Amino acid sequence: HGQHRITGDKFLPYEESLRVPLIFRGPGVPRGKVIRRQVSNIDLAPTLVDAANARARRKMDGVSLLPGMRRAKRLPNRAIAVEALAPLFAGNIPVNGWDRPYQGVRTNRYTYVVWTETGEQELYDREADPYELDNVAADPAYAAVRDHLAAKLARLEDCAGSACNVKP
């Protein structure tokens, strides 16, 4: 709703779109506990399978969040893939000028994104720049971080199962 001077929409790779609260309630879930570690949609299926005391018949990329609900240190500290695959269209006309495909990776500190159509890169050090206003992708001081995150992104692109648990 106006962050980054862009009206509407949650299609973009910025904190206002990526950092969405997840709330669980049920047996074995501590009441009122707040955990600030990052998780991903890929963790929902393994968590539900675990809660149902069932067994998955397919390889799952995420992990169950139930152990982490009891002890936050049991949640994985990992890099998480972020992506938007295609712009939103109304007929053959893009809905707006900013919904464009991207791939990226988010860690507890950094967000790194590559815009698919142009190859443009964005890198934000959310510790130093929590509002993601200063793109440091071209800053030589961040070259090693950018290259490290680009390698993580490459590993996450085609991962499956436990291979998706990529350390930051």
Side-chain angles (χ1 to χ4, degrees), residues 77-106:
N77 181 19
R78 63 186 170 178
I80 292 180
V82 295
E83 66 182 354
L85 299 177
L88 300 174
F89 282 92
N92 289 332
I93 302 169
V95 171
N96 55 49
W98 52 84
D99 285 348
R100 296 289 177 234
Y102 63 83
Q103 291 184 304
V105 64
R106 185 184 185 283

Side-chain angles (χ1 to χ4, degrees), residues 55-76:
R55 202 185 84 176
R57 293 176 34 193
R58 293 184 179 193
K59 187 183 291 189
M60 293 190 285
D61 299 339
V63 298
S64 174
L65 302 175
L66 287 182
M69 289 180 210
R70 295 180 194 106
R71 273 187 70 206
K73 291 184 185 216
R74 290 186 175 174
L75 287 172

Side-chain angles (χ1 to χ4, degrees), residues 3 18 28 30-31 40 66 70 105 108 118 127 132 136 148:
Q3 294 89 350
L18 297 178
R31 182 179 294 214
S40 179
L66 287 182
R70 295 180 194 106
V105 64
N108 288 329
T118 64
E127 188 175 286
E132 297 171 307
V136 295
H148 177 78

Side-chain angles (χ1 to χ4, degrees), residues 42-62:
I42 62 172
D43 299 323
L44 296 178
T47 301
L48 295 174
V49 167
D50 190 14
N53 205 17
R55 202 185 84 176
R57 293 176 34 193
R58 293 184 179 193
K59 187 183 291 189
M60 293 190 285
D61 299 339

